[in-house]
Amino acid sequence: MVKEIERAGIPVVHMCTVTPISMTVGANRIVPTIAIPHPLGNPSLSHDEEYALRKKLVNRALEALTTEVTDQTIFEV
């Protein structure tokens, strides 16, 4: 799906916990996340810490979305 959306000219960011799978499916912009059961959060953190973590991940994804890439790229957080 990611490749087809990109082919239509719409940039896509794939946020995932297992980046090799993203590489295999051909995602161009990959942002690693936290853990399989909680990809965009960490329930062991306080409310404020988790909010900051989520904000950091989403900001990184937005940055990846606006970055031109020619190859598969992992945007580390």
Side-chain angles (χ1 to χ4, degrees), residues 16-17 32-42 53 57 77:
C16 65
T17 55
T33 57
I34 307 307
I36 290 172
H38 308 286
L40 293 178
N42 182 345
L53 173 63
L57 288 166
V77 177

Side-chain angles (χ1 to χ4, degrees), residues 1-15 26-31 61-67 69 73 75:
M1 187 75 144
V2 172
K3 291 172 85 173
E4 291 303 315
I5 294 170
E6 289 265 353
R7 193 171 293 137
I10 302 168
V12 174
V13 175
H14 195 226
M15 298 178 76
N28 288 328
R29 294 170 185 85
I30 303 165
V31 174
L62 290 172
E63 182 181 323
L65 192 62
T66 60
T67 302
V69 296
T73 306
F75 292 83

Side-chain angles (χ1 to χ4, degrees), residues 15-68:
M15 298 178 76
C16 65
T17 55
V18 186
T19 58
I21 293 173
S22 295
M23 299 291 282
T24 301
V25 299
N28 288 328
R29 294 170 185 85
I30 303 165
V31 174
T33 57
I34 307 307
I36 290 172
H38 308 286
L40 293 178
N42 182 345
S44 67
L45 297 176
S46 72
H47 180 284
D48 291 338
E49 291 170 323
E50 188 170 24
Y51 180 84
L53 173 63
R54 289 178 181 200
K55 186 174 181 178
K56 185 177 177 181
L57 288 166
V58 170
N59 283 336
R60 189 63 171 149
L62 290 172
E63 182 181 323
L65 192 62
T66 60
T67 302
E68 287 293 324

